Amino acid sequence: MNVMGDKATLFGTGRFVQPSGEVPTRDEAAEAAEEARCRLQAEGGDVEAMSVLGALLLRRGDLDGAEPQLRAATAAGDRAAANNLGVLLHQRGYPDEAAGWWRIAAVAGSAAAAHALGRHHRERGDEPAAEYWLRQSAEQGHALGAYALADLLEHRGDMTAGQWMRAAAERGHREAAYRLARALDRRSATEEGAGGDGGAVAETAADAAEAAEAEQWYRQAAARGHRRAALHLGAILERRGELKEAGRWYLTSAKDGEARAACALGFLLRDAGDTENAAIWWLRAAQDGDGNAANALGALHAERGETQTAERWYRAAMDAGDDNGAYNLGLLCAEQGRTAQAEQWYRRAAYAGHREAANALAILLLQVGDTSGAEPWFSKAAEAGSVDAAFNLGILYAGRGEDRIALRCYEQAAAAGHTEAALQVGIARLREGDEAAAERHLRCAAGGGSAEAAYRLAAVLDARRPTVSEHELGESSLNVKTECEEWYERAASQGHRRAQVRVGMLAAARGDVVEAARWYRAAAEAGSRNGAFNLGLLLAREGSEPEAAVWWERAADAGHGRAALRLALVYARRGELAEGQRWADRAVALGPAEVSERAGRLRDALREELSA
């Protein structure tokens, strides 16, 4: 995938640029000129100028210079000055006096002062007073007041919190926009989880609209510099396949210090083939305590054969609270043959609830013969949702002859999409005579790539076809491939020997000798005695009896009675009676009954001929 440019020039292309959203700083010369003008007017008794000058000095941090200007303007009735005087006093460490001035300004209609007063009361635990003043601020359209009110109401579990969070977001409050987006995300996830079989199959128009709205609020918050919003926006875009834009937002968030975004950016770069820069971002994230990034670094070094460095990063992941670190350490030790250490790390991760570590631990215990120790870990992993563990547990029970319990385990794994488990369920249903259920599971397993399932499914479908008169190789009766033949061919192309023989037989039935020989030969060379026998029949029919005898001998050596009988007849016709008798004896021993009977008569005749 080459979606983000060449590796060497990735960060030189400017493709990952931070969206503009910063507030431009005021021109210092213009601010100085305004301050001089306000000071001149304030000295002339202009109340508004005193208020503005006090605000300028307060913003600069000149509290001593700002206080007299603000007190003078406040005494003259300027509510903005009263609010700012409250801010100044709060900064000086006089919160109660600050609250008094905020109250004066709030009563006079200052939304900012009402917000500050509400925050003051909430910090002191007086929630009724806090709600009153925050509501006053919010109802006047103050974004901070609306957000603080929403936060207070949400803390109480008040259902009206959402409307005020939305109001704050609409007025440009970035944290409100982010929290609104998160709420929409959580609600969507809850509804999907509660949808059941009927409601979670397809995304409804309402779900799509909600997801689009969440994305819009993430965008608004991210554009205003909210790093977590940029992270979530990047994740949405990545899931949608818009990798370039996802990378830009991940980069924005990562540069602002979001470790998870740096980690995600690393994975995006790795998938684009840029492991060098991926490692740079993973390193940055790991140093900030991101366990996932530390694991990624460990895996990268493990792939390079740098096991000591890999182990160091896996330990760092573990120290960051990521259980995958212990699991990966177990894998690393197991690959190196350090079984005792592998068991130690698997146990640590498994006790922490890591289901794949529990499965790996059970396999390790099984390998050293500790079946009783393996079983509870398989069970624990399966209960936690490990599909492989459920399948392995089924194998364990089947080995003990507890077929019913094994089948339940296989069914659990098959329901989660495990191919081999679906095959086992299909085979069990065939034994029970439930052909419909067997076909359903075999189709799942065959679709998942199981050659055995494809062969067995083809056999089920084949058995339903109307019988036709045919000899050993079959007559030319069908010119169109049926579904069962397509499944046979799929299994045959995956190297399934019985399927290869059956495809050869079907090809022979169509009169396609070349195709039949190709599949028979493939099966025979893979060790199929039936393939070797049928290839011999085909060659003999085409007039190549010496070559046919070679394949019959291979089949007979593998235990094919009919092939041994054919060889006995070949040698008898050649006049090599002793060799013919030897193969006739072999055919009698191999059977089946019909072959044994015919071979016995031939053997007796050859014996008489030899003794004459």
Side-chain angles (χ1 to χ4, degrees):
M1 184 166 52
N2 187 26
V3 295
M4 294 193 296
D6 298 331
K7 289 192 289 184
T9 60
L10 182 62
F11 289 99
T13 60
R15 295 185 186 186
F16 289 158
V17 294
Q18 185 167 351
S20 60
E22 299 86 352
V23 179
T25 57
R26 297 185 61 185
D27 183 80
E28 293 181 3
E31 189 170 313
E34 183 179 1
E35 181 183 338
R37 180 180 59 79
C38 289
R39 191 177 296 279
L40 183 62
Q41 292 176 347
E43 289 172 355
D46 188 318
V47 175
E48 184 179 352
M50 294 176 192
S51 179
V52 173
L53 178 59
L56 285 172
L57 296 170
L58 178 61
R59 186 166 57 240
R60 188 191 299 162
D62 184 359
L63 305 188
D64 292 335
E67 185 170 355
Q69 300 293 338
L70 292 175
R71 285 192 180 276
T74 298
D78 189 291
R79 70 181 188 188
N83 175 56
N84 286 333
L85 180 57
V87 173
L88 184 147
L89 291 168
H90 190 270
Q91 290 183 15
R92 285 192 182 278
Y94 303 110
D96 293 332
E97 188 178 353
W101 289 111
W102 282 331
R103 180 180 296 275
I104 290 171
V107 169
S110 170
H115 164 252
L117 187 58
R119 290 288 301 274
H120 170 80
H121 284 298
R122 188 175 182 189
E123 288 169 2
R124 276 154 179 70
D126 188 352
E127 289 198 0
E131 181 182 349
Y132 174 82
W133 288 111
L134 290 175
R135 195 175 292 277
Q136 294 295 316
S137 176
E139 289 175 350
Q140 292 179 65
H142 195 272
L144 293 173
Y147 174 73
L149 177 61
D151 186 68
L152 176 64
L153 295 173
E154 186 175 271
H155 177 70
R156 289 184 189 169
D158 193 311
M159 298 297 292
T160 63
Q163 74 183 59
W164 289 111
M165 194 68 76
R166 182 178 294 275
E170 289 171 348
R171 291 163 190 164
H173 195 288
R174 71 179 189 182
E175 184 65 25
Y178 171 72
R179 287 178 64 173
L180 181 57
R182 294 295 295 144
L184 290 166
D185 260 356
R186 283 192 294 270
R187 188 165 67 198
S188 177
T190 302
E191 288 173 357
E192 183 179 346
D197 293 336
V201 177
E203 187 181 59
T204 65
D207 292 334
E210 209 162 65
E213 186 182 3
E215 181 180 341
Q216 170 197 338
W217 290 117
Y218 280 135
R219 282 189 181 277
Q220 179 172 312
R224 292 177 176 271
H226 197 292
R227 69 186 192 187
R228 282 172 295 164
L231 167 66
H232 286 284
L233 180 56
I236 290 170
L237 293 165
E238 183 180 1
R239 286 194 298 269
R240 205 158 62 209
E242 299 176 22
L243 302 184
K244 288 184 181 179
E245 189 179 359
R248 289 197 295 270
W249 287 111
Y250 282 149
L251 182 63
T252 297
S253 181
K255 283 183 174 179
D256 285 341
E258 181 60 52
R260 289 175 297 169
C263 180
L265 180 58
F267 282 111
L268 209 59
L269 290 164
R270 181 205 62 183
D271 293 342
D274 189 356
T275 54
E276 184 179 344
N277 279 312
I280 291 171
W281 286 104
W282 282 333
L283 178 60
R284 182 167 174 172
Q287 288 173 338
D288 286 339
D290 189 284
N292 196 20
N295 271 313
L297 281 172
L300 185 64
H301 287 289
E303 288 172 7
R304 295 172 177 172
E306 300 166 358
T307 54
Q308 287 186 336
T309 307
E311 185 170 338
R312 180 165 59 84
W313 282 115
Y314 287 148
R315 287 179 182 275
M318 193 170 56
D319 292 341
D322 192 324
D323 298 328
N324 282 314
Y327 173 58
N328 287 331
L329 276 170
L331 292 174
L332 193 66
C333 291
E335 289 173 2
Q336 296 172 338
R338 296 153 58 194
T339 306
Q341 292 92 331
E343 181 180 344
Q344 170 195 343
W345 294 119
Y346 284 150
R347 281 189 184 277
R348 177 163 180 169
Y351 277 120
H354 195 292
R355 65 189 189 189
E356 296 310 324
N359 179 56
L361 174 60
I363 292 172
L364 190 148
L365 292 171
L366 206 58
Q367 288 171 343
V368 298
D370 187 0
T371 307
S372 59
E375 182 183 342
W377 286 112
F378 276 139
S379 296
K380 186 174 182 178
E383 288 168 4
S386 172
V387 181
D388 289 336
F391 177 67
N392 290 334
L393 194 58
I395 294 174
L396 193 66
Y397 283 120
R400 294 177 181 171
E402 300 178 48
D403 293 337
R404 289 189 176 277
I405 303 176
L407 182 57
R408 285 202 298 270
C409 295
Y410 289 144
E411 286 175 331
Q412 179 185 340
H418 195 287
T419 297
E420 291 304 313
L423 169 62
Q424 294 303 319
V425 176
I427 292 171
R429 295 299 178 223
L430 279 176
R431 283 198 300 265
E432 295 168 0
D434 188 350
E435 191 174 289
E439 180 182 343
R440 186 171 66 252
H441 283 96
L442 290 174
R443 283 187 183 277
C444 290
S450 169
E452 181 66 23
Y455 171 75
R456 287 178 179 268
L457 174 60
V460 168
L461 299 173
D462 202 3
R464 296 176 187 166
R465 297 198 305 166
T467 57
V468 293
S469 176
E470 58 181 10
H471 51 69
E472 284 180 296
L473 286 177
E475 299 285 351
S476 178
S477 57
L478 295 174
N479 295 318
V480 179
K481 290 183 181 179
T482 61
E483 186 189 4
C484 78
E485 188 167 358
E486 290 174 356
W487 283 113
Y488 277 136
E489 286 187 358
R490 181 179 294 195
S493 65
Q494 293 175 257
H496 194 287
R497 293 182 301 180
R498 285 179 294 167
Q500 289 170 338
V501 173
R502 187 60 183 146
V503 171
M505 293 176 69
L506 292 170
R510 291 196 306 271
D512 191 344
V513 176
V514 174
E515 184 74 358
R518 181 171 75 87
W519 286 113
Y520 286 151
R521 191 177 298 276
E525 289 176 348
S528 168
R529 62 187 187 184
N530 285 328
F533 174 69
N534 280 6
L535 180 57
L537 288 176
L538 196 66
L539 291 167
R541 180 164 295 175
E542 295 298 312
S544 301
E545 189 175 84
E547 188 181 354
V550 171
W551 289 106
W552 283 333
E553 185 171 347
R554 182 180 293 191
D557 286 340
H560 199 289
R562 284 189 174 86
L565 178 57
R566 289 276 177 173
L567 283 170
L569 290 168
V570 168
Y571 284 112
R573 283 197 299 271
R574 292 178 183 174
E576 300 178 33
L577 304 184
E579 189 68 9
Q581 183 181 344
R582 185 173 73 83
W583 284 111
D585 281 338
R586 185 76 184 276
V588 169
L590 292 173
E594 178 190 349
V595 170
S596 296
E597 183 181 347
R598 291 176 59 192
R601 290 198 300 268
L602 176 61
R603 179 190 59 189
D604 293 343
L606 292 172
R607 185 176 297 159
E608 289 178 8
E609 187 72 20
L610 284 168
S611 61

